[in-house]
Amino acid sequence: LAVGLASSSAPLVAALVSSLVLGVFYSADLPLLRWKRFPVLAAACILCVRALIVQLGFYAHARLSVLHGTGQNVRLSSSLGLAFGTGFMLLFSVVIALFKDLPDIAGDEGAGVRTLSVALGPRFVFRTCLALLGAAYAAAMVVGLLCTTHWWSAYVTVASHAILGSRLFQLSADVDVGSSKSLYELYMFIWKLFYAEYALLPFIR
């Protein structure tokens, strides 16, 4: 937040403050807060921050920083990278919101917390998450083949998402849905894939 304030960038500050506020709502053990206890509110926080606030806020900050003083229009406009990144991270955020409860299903059942994993069963939620991730990686390869305007962008987009998606499904095949440790290990790998996407987004043009 201090870096954001020092940058004097309104989009960056807005994104950081919004993320901080929702993070407090999500985690703070105060009356009416700690939204992580409530599946719908927890998922809403994750989706808002990861899929919308970060994508739009950081894109607006980068555009403002690059174009400020050049005389060009600095108003927020759509781009392939922004549209793809928002959609891809939206699917990933849904998966994270669902998958995060899988390793702790026994604890949630004992505490009476009705997560989707408890209500629908871990196997159904696990398969749903894999289906969503598969759709995300398939969509990324389609975007690379049909929507990019440079050969190198198409090559990097298709190849990288094919490799990462294949690795995901390779690891998921060995997961024991009845083992919290096994589920947690895959959950951590999903986070690695999530952050790896930020390194790939600049290549989508």
Side-chain angles (χ1 to χ4, degrees), residues 133 137 164-172 186 189-190 193:
L133 290 174
Y137 280 104
L164 293 176
S166 297
R167 182 57 176 162
L168 168 67
F169 282 96
Q170 180 185 25
L171 292 177
S172 68
L186 186 64
F189 182 72
I190 289 172
L193 293 176

Side-chain angles (χ1 to χ4, degrees), residues 105-128:
I105 190 171
D108 289 335
E109 282 183 315
V113 179
R114 293 284 294 175
T115 64
L116 283 179
S117 298
V118 172
L120 302 177
R123 194 169 300 277
F124 176 83
V125 173
F126 180 77
R127 289 175 177 172
T128 299

Side-chain angles (χ1 to χ4, degrees), residues 70-92:
T70 65
Q72 299 185 51
N73 187 354
V74 298
R75 290 183 301 175
L76 185 63
S77 61
S78 62
S79 71
L80 176 61
L82 176 62
F84 169 79
T86 302
F88 190 92
M89 294 306 188
L90 178 63
L91 286 177
F92 245 87

